[in-house]
Amino acid sequence: MIRNDSYGLINTFSLLANQQTGIGTSRSKSEAIALNFGGGLSRKELEMLPQRDELIRRVIEIFPQSAAKAWFSLHIANNKAGDNLADEMMRYLEDLGDRLDATKIEQRAELYGVQEAFLLASCLARQFGKAYILVGVDDGNRLDKPIDKEAIASLRWLQVYDNSEILPISEHGHYPPQLYELVNWGKGTTKIHRSRLLPFWGNRVLHGLGRGDGVNIIQPLFDAYADWLQGIKAGSAMLHDFDVFTLGIKGLGQAMLGDRQTNTTTGSDAIIARATALDMGKSIVRGIIYDLENEQPGSVTRSYSGANEIVQALESRWVAVSGIPRFKLFGEIGGQGLANNQGLAMRAEWAILTQSFAQAWITNLRSLLKLAFLAKDTPSQNIPQFRLSPNYDLQLTLQEKMELEKAAAERSKILVDLGAIAPNEIRTGYEGSAFSPDIVLLLTSSPPGALRKDKSDIVSDQEWSNMANISASDWIVVANEVSDD
């Protein structure tokens, strides 16, 4: 039997109760609210979230990847002309992942060069809170003994572990711990002295007497998402409330008056039941069933602004939590952005942020270099005065390079006109560069921009010093196509 009365509709729709819209409930807006007071993410969740969500993976990897790509410059004081010690030392550290004299055990192990090790350790630290690089120092001592800096034969390898694999051994009254424990799952444990470890932190939290520990970057992202999701639910409820309708019922006043006269609620109950049934039908079946003769439903037009801002609030929160600019986090720098001044400013900002992030690596890289300087199989067996600086990695587009080249040419023209520099000095700026080094300046009476390929027009090197006072309008730049003979 099909029932079209109000109570029949209520019984039908109540089977489809929805807490967010209030259908089938007391319609309390706080009834379905769940505040984010839970504990932290589990180890399993920290492992799985970067695999399930591309944005979380990007937040973990983007800073370490950019810093490893830009890397560092090593400057050694009192470097003699032609001395390539800085490059040799950096190459030595990079070869630790694949030494030519690697033993069979080392060949089977998971070893890394310095850039790859720093990248991986930093990613693990951001994902789990803390990570370590174990330095394979060949000094004749066991891993649980301090490094003997006077007996370092070589650095053999670098291995990377997260904070579930290397645990500090608590010592009452001693900080930082002198010994750590390497957990070899199923194979027992190995003690390691702190001098053989390079620590990396995610978000480092300092507390008490300089003590510090790391927290992962995923937890604040997840908390921001949970807060934002509650805002979305509340916003959805607001939108639902704004979507109201009107209902005209014949005999409404008479029904209410009858209740008063008989001291009953028969009429008001029927009205409430009817309105509830119509509301439930509108929310669930997206339509209103009404009595065509006795009821006239309608709608109220309302405007609601701010819904888009609620959605964008999560983006702003994630940008603040991650420290990554919006254009980089969400990949908003398109082809047009790369070719205009705004795109250049964005990439310049990112290069500066990458430098700031890489600055935290310097302490560990300095420690590693000091050990390498003392190793017997490196060009230096002492620690010279040296300085490390993160590289400023700003990649220019071809159009931007051409614009800079044009600006440089205009500046050179002005300086030549003023007699501040000789024309031959301009050429040195092109030697060994990405631009063609086969460039000469020709003295010609031809119109500006004309190309001269006659060998007699080529100016010899000996004549450059006598031509500083010639007007720049008399010079043109051409390719030197004269053969050697």
Side-chain angles (χ1 to χ4, degrees):
M1 180 179 67
I2 300 176
R3 298 181 60 183
N4 290 324
D5 61 280
S6 298
Y7 289 102
L9 291 175
I10 289 174
N11 291 333
T12 299
F13 293 148
S14 293
L15 298 175
L16 304 173
N18 186 321
Q19 286 188 326
Q20 300 308 316
T21 62
I23 298 302
T25 73
S26 65
R27 302 188 68 80
S28 169
K29 294 300 178 293
S30 62
E31 187 169 312
I33 293 296
L35 296 178
N36 186 31
F37 290 142
L41 295 170
S42 67
R43 169 79 187 192
K44 186 69 173 180
E45 290 167 335
L46 293 176
E47 290 177 352
M48 294 301 299
L49 280 172
Q51 301 179 36
R52 301 288 298 273
D53 190 283
E54 173 64 26
L55 187 65
I56 290 178
R57 188 168 67 85
R58 180 190 291 255
V59 170
I60 290 172
E61 296 178 355
I62 192 168
F63 266 126
Q65 286 178 343
S66 298
K69 175 177 171 288
W71 203 232
F72 295 85
S73 293
L74 173 60
H75 310 275
I76 299 177
N78 302 320
N79 226 5
K80 298 179 181 178
D83 190 350
N84 202 28
L85 179 59
D87 290 340
E88 291 182 5
M89 296 305 297
M90 296 301 280
R91 187 162 50 248
Y92 177 86
L93 294 182
E94 194 55 52
D95 289 342
L96 293 180
D98 186 24
R99 286 183 63 107
L100 295 178
D101 62 344
T103 65
K104 290 183 178 181
I105 294 178
E106 290 173 343
Q107 290 174 357
R108 292 196 301 267
E110 194 170 1
L111 309 179
Y112 302 95
V114 63
Q115 281 181 280
E116 192 177 8
F118 274 55
L119 167 60
L120 179 57
S122 189
C123 287
L124 289 175
R126 289 171 69 81
Q127 183 175 359
F128 299 111
K130 196 170 186 180
Y132 302 88
I133 291 179
L134 175 58
V135 184
V137 181
D138 182 6
D139 63 342
N141 290 329
R142 298 183 321 217
L143 291 178
D144 61 345
K145 300 299 181 183
I147 293 176
D148 184 353
K149 295 183 180 180
E150 302 296 328
I152 299 178
S154 67
L155 304 188
R156 301 295 306 177
W157 39 259
L158 300 175
Q159 290 185 309
V160 181
Y161 299 94
D162 63 51
N163 58 352
S164 70
E165 299 169 301
I166 292 186
L167 306 173
I169 298 176
S170 177
E171 299 178 62
H172 181 69
H174 291 282
Y175 188 89
Q178 298 301 300
L179 290 176
Y180 289 76
E181 192 174 60
L182 173 61
V183 180
N184 298 319
W185 304 111
K187 299 180 181 179
T189 59
T190 302
K191 291 184 178 180
I192 301 174
H193 192 268
R194 64 184 296 266
S195 62
R196 300 176 187 272
L197 293 172
L198 302 177
F200 288 76
W201 290 269
N203 284 336
R204 189 174 184 183
V205 178
L206 300 179
H207 51 86
L209 300 178
R211 296 179 175 86
D213 207 350
V215 294
N216 67 78
I217 190 63
I218 302 178
Q219 185 70 56
L221 286 173
F222 184 83
D223 291 342
Y225 175 75
D227 292 341
W228 171 83
L229 186 60
Q230 292 174 43
I232 286 293
K233 292 178 179 179
S236 299
M238 292 172 64
L239 290 173
H240 179 268
D241 284 350
F242 264 77
D243 185 17
V244 298
F245 69 94
T246 61
L247 176 64
I249 301 178
K250 286 187 177 182
L252 174 64
Q254 291 295 327
M256 302 300 294
L257 179 60
D259 283 352
R260 292 184 60 185
Q261 291 175 342
T262 60
N263 196 27
T264 63
T265 59
T266 303
S268 58
D269 288 344
I271 293 170
I272 293 173
R274 189 62 177 156
T276 301
L278 291 174
D279 182 34
M280 293 173 72
K282 184 173 72 71
S283 299
I284 295 176
V285 300
R286 307 302 298 169
I288 299 176
I289 302 174
Y290 67 98
D291 187 330
L292 186 61
E293 296 178 354
N294 297 319
E295 299 170 347
Q296 185 60 49
S299 61
V300 178
T301 302
R302 300 282 173 89
S303 61
Y304 181 78
S305 61
N308 189 50
E309 286 76 4
I310 293 176
V311 176
Q312 292 180 347
L314 174 64
E315 295 184 7
S316 300
R317 179 76 181 274
W318 270 346
V319 167
V321 169
S322 67
I324 301 172
R326 183 185 300 272
F327 71 88
K328 197 71 175 180
L329 181 61
F330 299 104
E332 294 177 351
I333 183 167
Q336 293 182 350
L338 288 172
N340 58 29
N341 291 335
Q342 183 181 11
L344 178 59
M346 288 177 176
R347 283 175 283 125
E349 177 191 1
W350 179 247
I352 293 174
L353 290 174
T354 298
Q355 276 188 310
S356 299
F357 178 85
Q359 192 71 29
W361 287 0
I362 285 184
T363 299
N364 283 332
L365 188 54
R366 281 183 61 87
S367 300
L368 192 60
L369 272 168
K370 287 180 179 180
L371 297 176
F373 278 126
L374 295 174
K376 301 299 188 295
D377 61 348
T378 61
S380 173
Q381 279 77 52
N382 58 76
I383 302 178
Q385 291 185 349
F386 67 94
R387 176 173 59 87
L388 285 165
S389 59
N391 292 325
Y392 182 71
D393 186 30
L394 176 60
Q395 301 298 320
L396 300 179
T397 64
L398 181 59
Q399 179 178 347
E400 290 165 349
K401 291 178 181 179
M402 294 173 67
E403 290 175 351
L404 289 176
E405 183 65 16
K406 178 182 177 182
E410 292 173 350
R411 178 195 61 189
S412 298
K413 178 181 181 299
I414 295 173
L415 293 175
V416 170
D417 286 343
L418 293 174
I421 61 174
N424 63 315
E425 294 180 77
I426 301 173
R427 184 176 184 229
T428 60
Y430 294 85
E431 294 176 350
S433 70
F435 298 94
S436 173
D438 299 322
I439 294 175
V440 296
L441 300 178
L442 300 186
L443 179 61
T444 176
S445 58
S446 303
L451 295 179
R452 299 296 300 276
K453 300 181 180 180
D454 186 349
K455 185 174 182 179
S456 63
D457 289 332
I458 301 300
V459 181
S460 66
D461 292 338
Q462 290 78 11
E463 295 178 277
W464 288 121
S465 59
N466 300 324
M467 298 181 177
N469 295 323
I470 298 177
S471 172
S473 61
D474 293 330
W475 294 91
I476 57 175
V477 178
V478 300
N480 182 359
E481 298 184 358
V482 179
S483 60
D484 294 334
D485 55 0

